[in-house]
Amino acid sequence: MTVDPDTFEATMRGAAPPDGPETALREWSDLDAKLTAAPEADKGRLRVQVAAARERVRSLLSGQAAPAARPLWDFAVPLTGAALAADPPPQPRSLETIDGAPVLLRGQTVILGSPGGTGKTIVECELAVAAALGRPWVGEGSWRATPGRGLLLVAEEARAGMLRRLHWACVAAGLSTAEMDEVARNVTVLPLAGVGCALTTGIDPATGELPMTDRAREILDRLRAAAAEGKPYTLVIVDPLTHFAGADTEKDNIAGARFVQLACAFAAEDCGCPTVWIAHHTRKLARGDDPESVEALRGGSALANAARAVLIMRELRHVEGAPSLLRLVLAKRNDVPPTAPLVLCRPQGDHGCLRLARAEEIAAYEARAKDSRGKLTRDDRIGRLGPEILAALAEKPRTGAALAAKLGARREDVSAACATLAEEGEIVRTKGQHSPWGLAGGVTDQSDRTPGRSDSTPDCQSDRPSPPSRGRSVGHSAEDPPTSSARVVDLSLPGIAELRAEPARRPRGRRKRS
C-alpha cells in the first residue's frame, strides 16, 4: 500500500495520521471483522458503526481527485539472457483437473454464460466453498479448486438468500462444522440486491474511455488492501454482468471490451492476481446455432473476445422420469490444454445444488431420451404396437385412424403393425377392404353400440392420406356416417381421384366492372 509523505512524517512525529481513504478503509475492515466475530447482542451496535464507516469511505472517495495515471514505462519488464534461458515459474491455477492439468489460471478474467435460472449463483457458491478448502468443485472427480479466499459480489440476492445458498452448498459438500468455520473465514459475501453497484458508466465521448465508478474504486481498494496484508483474494465473483456493467456494455463492442478491461484491473498483481469470474446470460439461439460456443453469450462479441476464458453451462432437454443433467463446457481457453466437459446433475432434494453426474445417471438419461425422441427402429416401434393394438381391438373393432388416436402412435406405424398382425392371422377386416379391424377369433358384439354411430365406415384414413372434405357434411368425424341429406361422393369412381388432385382453375381475363 502506498504511504504518502504527510502520513509518514506524522507517524515519525508520533502524531495521528491524517484522515484519508486508506485509514477509513482500514477502520471499516476492522469493524467488519468485529461484526463477524461479535456475539448476537453486540451486532446491532456494530452494524450501525459499520454503516457509518462505509458512508465515510464513500464520501472520502467521492471527494478525492483521481490519481495521476502511472507512466506506461513503469510496466516494462527488465529482461536478461539468463532470465530468458531459465524455466519460467508456473502460473498459479484456480481450477485443475483430477490429473493436475490446469483449467483456469489466476489473474484471468472468466465469463460463465448460461440461460437465466440454470444455476449460476448456486454453482458459484459451491466454487467459493471449494476454494476456501481446496476441494473438488462439484464433487469427487470434478475440477479441483486451489485453496484461497473468495469474494462474492451478488447483485440479485439479499442477505437471507445468500445465507441459504451457502448453507445448502456446504451441506451438499458434506462439510463438518470445523470445515464450515474455515469457509466462513475465507469467504466474503456482499448480497447487493436493490443496491446500485454499477462499476462503469457510459463511454465518455471526449476521451473514449469507460470511466470507473466509486463502487469500482472501493472494490479495488479492498482487493489491494487484502493483498498488502498477505491475505489476497484468489477468487472474485461478479454476478451478474448486467447489474455491474455500464449502460452500453452489451450493445457496444467498445464498451464491452472496456468493462472486461476493468475486470482485468481486479485481477492485477497489486490485487493479488485473483481469478475474476463474471456471470452472464446467454442469448436466445436460432435453429442451427451451437449452444456451447462463445457466440451463445448475450451482447456484442467483444465480451467473449476480451475475456481470457469462457465457460458455457446449459441444461439438457428435460426428459420425463430421467435425471436433470447439465453440461459445463470450456468454450474458450488461454494457456491451458483442452479440457473435457463436465456433465452435472441436479438431484431432487438438494435445493438446486449441482454435482458431477454418475455414470448410471448419464446412462439412465440417455435411455429415457432415446425413447422420448422415438429414435427406436421402425421395426421396434411396430413390434411394440402389436400387443397394444390387440388389446384395443378386444374392446371393439376400430379403424386405423381410431387406433392411432387411441394409442397416440403414428398412423403409418399403426398401418404397418396392422398389416403384420393380419399376415399372422391375428386380426381381419370386419366387412371387406377399408373396413375396421377386428380380432380374427370373431367380431366383437356390436349390439350395445350407441345408435347412429358405426365403426364400419370405409377406412379411407388408415392406409392413405385423408382426402379433402369435399362432399362430406361439416361436423362429421372420420367414423361418423353422413346424414341422409349429405351428398356422398364415392371416391372409388373413375375420374374422382384426378378431379381431387387437380386444383380448380380460374378463368383468365379481366373482370368486367359493374
Side-chain angles (χ1 to χ4, degrees):
M1 184 179 296
T2 305
V3 179
D4 61 282
D6 293 337
T7 303
F8 179 76
E9 292 177 6
T11 305
M12 294 301 293
R13 292 194 307 267
D19 192 4
E22 293 181 352
T23 305
L25 276 171
R26 194 175 300 109
E27 292 176 357
W28 182 14
S29 178
D30 294 341
L31 286 170
D32 202 20
K34 290 179 182 179
L35 175 62
T36 303
E40 197 63 33
D42 298 333
K43 286 191 174 181
R45 174 179 54 82
L46 286 171
R47 286 195 187 102
V48 175
Q49 295 179 6
V50 168
R54 181 173 60 246
E55 291 301 322
R56 190 155 158 264
V57 169
R58 184 180 303 171
S59 63
L60 287 171
L61 289 176
S62 61
Q64 189 179 44
R70 184 179 172 187
L72 293 180
W73 256 246
D74 286 357
F75 296 94
V77 177
L79 296 178
T80 62
L84 295 175
D87 293 333
Q91 190 164 0
R93 308 165 180 180
S94 60
L95 279 175
E96 62 184 15
T97 65
I98 56 175
D99 299 327
V103 178
L104 296 178
L105 302 176
R106 293 266 302 274
Q108 285 189 341
T109 302
V110 181
I111 295 179
L112 169 66
S114 74
T118 305
K120 292 186 291 294
T121 304
I122 189 65
V123 85
E124 289 160 356
C125 291
E126 292 179 278
L127 178 60
V129 169
L133 301 172
R135 292 166 57 104
W137 179 9
V138 282
E140 290 299 329
S142 66
W143 301 334
R144 178 178 292 276
T146 53
R149 299 180 67 197
L151 172 62
L152 279 76
L153 307 169
V154 186
E156 294 182 338
E157 292 291 339
R159 179 187 181 91
M162 284 306 299
L163 286 176
R164 280 194 298 269
R165 290 178 183 272
L166 285 170
H167 165 76
W168 293 121
C170 291
V171 171
L175 302 187
S176 63
T177 304
E179 289 172 325
M180 291 185 187
D181 290 338
E182 186 70 15
V183 170
R185 285 190 292 269
N186 288 328
V187 176
T188 304
V189 184
L190 273 67
L192 302 173
V195 178
C197 51
L199 303 180
T200 60
T201 59
I203 295 180
D204 186 349
T207 62
E209 295 292 329
L210 196 67
M212 185 184 299
T213 64
D214 293 341
R215 296 294 193 192
R217 296 189 188 94
E218 179 183 347
I219 295 170
L220 271 174
D221 289 338
R222 283 281 182 164
L223 295 176
R224 289 167 178 165
E229 293 172 3
K231 299 177 181 179
Y233 287 100
T234 59
L235 176 67
V236 177
I237 295 175
V238 178
D239 181 9
L241 177 144
T242 52
H243 286 63
F244 290 92
D248 302 325
T249 301
E250 288 194 45
K251 62 184 180 181
D252 186 280
N253 277 327
I254 296 177
R258 289 284 189 268
F259 177 76
V260 178
Q261 184 180 4
L262 169 64
C264 290
F266 293 167
E269 289 186 11
D270 58 349
C271 294
C273 290
T275 299
V276 179
W277 181 288
I278 304 171
H280 191 33
H281 293 88
T282 52
R283 61 183 175 86
K284 186 177 180 180
L285 300 175
R287 185 182 296 274
D289 288 348
D290 184 1
E292 297 180 350
S293 71
V294 295
E295 284 78 13
L297 290 177
R298 195 174 71 186
S301 59
L303 288 172
N305 293 338
R308 301 297 287 169
V310 175
L311 286 163
I312 301 293
M313 185 173 68
R314 69 179 184 94
E315 194 162 10
L316 301 186
R317 181 175 63 93
H318 173 73
V319 177
E320 190 67 30
S324 177
L325 299 185
L326 303 89
R327 274 172 60 90
L328 183 64
V329 181
L330 185 61
K332 179 184 177 181
R333 56 189 174 83
N334 268 286
D335 301 327
V336 298
T339 305
L342 294 182
V343 180
L344 309 179
C345 179
R346 183 183 285 115
Q348 294 291 333
D350 276 7
H351 301 274
C353 293
L354 303 177
R355 60 166 171 77
L356 194 67
R358 303 187 183 99
E360 57 269 22
E361 291 170 332
I362 298 175
Y365 177 87
E366 291 175 348
R368 288 278 188 176
K370 182 179 179 182
D371 291 343
S372 68
R373 286 193 299 263
K375 286 194 173 180
L376 301 171
T377 64
R378 190 166 186 266
D379 293 338
D380 289 340
R381 294 199 304 269
I382 293 171
R384 290 187 176 191
L385 283 173
E388 298 178 7
I389 290 174
L390 294 176
L393 294 181
E395 300 172 1
K396 63 177 183 179
R398 299 176 189 270
T399 63
L403 286 170
K406 179 175 178 60
L407 303 179
R410 300 177 181 178
R411 291 270 292 279
E412 58 268 24
D413 290 346
V414 170
S415 298
C418 288
T420 302
L421 292 174
E423 291 177 2
E424 295 173 354
E426 295 284 346
I427 61 175
V428 294
R429 295 283 189 180
T430 56
K431 293 184 180 179
Q433 189 180 12
H434 302 314
S435 63
W437 294 102
L439 296 178
V443 179
T444 308
D445 183 15
Q446 304 179 27
S447 59
D448 58 344
R449 290 189 177 183
T450 305
R453 293 191 59 86
S454 172
D455 276 339
S456 62
T457 312
D459 186 12
C460 300
Q461 296 83 7
S462 61
D463 296 316
R464 59 174 179 252
S466 300
S469 58
R470 185 186 299 123
R472 183 176 294 162
S473 58
V474 178
H476 287 285
S477 65
E479 295 185 6
D480 288 340
T483 61
S484 58
S485 60
R487 178 172 175 265
V488 180
V489 178
D490 186 356
L491 297 178
S492 64
L493 292 176
I496 294 295
E498 288 78 8
L499 289 175
R500 184 179 59 183
E502 183 178 357
R505 296 181 178 177
R506 287 185 177 180
R508 296 182 178 179
R510 295 184 179 180
R511 295 176 56 186
K512 293 183 178 181
R513 295 183 179 179
S514 57

